Amino acid sequence: GNEQLLFDIIANIIMLFPLGIFLPLWFRKLNTPKKAAAAAFFVSFSIELVQLITTRGYFEIDDIFHNTLGAFAGALIGCRLAKRIYTENTDYRKK
């Protein structure tokens, strides 16, 4: 029903939210939410592709979209944290 659909959407958004936070912290080149979301898109696509190949689950385009959306939301936080951390580290090394 509608409740199950809503739960699936929210779960897919939450699933890659932490990845969106950590990608900018782990990889300095993923310094914008757009870049981090693009990387998360490939992670999500890989997950769906494995599900298709192994027939363990369903390959769904909307899952990829919702996972990427969650990663983008996480990257909004992660990019700010990374900018603050890397800026502080740079300033510390200059002193």
Side-chain angles (χ1 to χ4, degrees), residues 5-65:
L5 180 62
L6 181 60
F7 174 79
D8 290 345
I9 290 170
I10 292 171
N12 279 315
I13 290 172
I14 292 171
M15 188 171 117
L16 290 188
F17 183 83
L19 183 66
I21 292 173
F22 287 112
L23 279 174
L25 297 171
W26 291 333
F27 303 101
R28 287 188 182 196
K29 289 189 177 192
L30 300 177
N31 59 352
T32 66
K34 187 176 178 180
K35 290 178 183 178
F41 169 84
F42 289 109
V43 169
S44 180
F45 181 79
S46 298
I47 292 168
E48 293 297 320
L49 191 60
V50 167
Q51 287 181 345
L52 177 67
I53 292 169
T54 62
T55 64
R56 306 284 283 174
Y58 299 104
F59 182 93
E60 296 182 1
I61 299 297
D62 62 329
D63 286 355
I64 296 171
F65 173 76

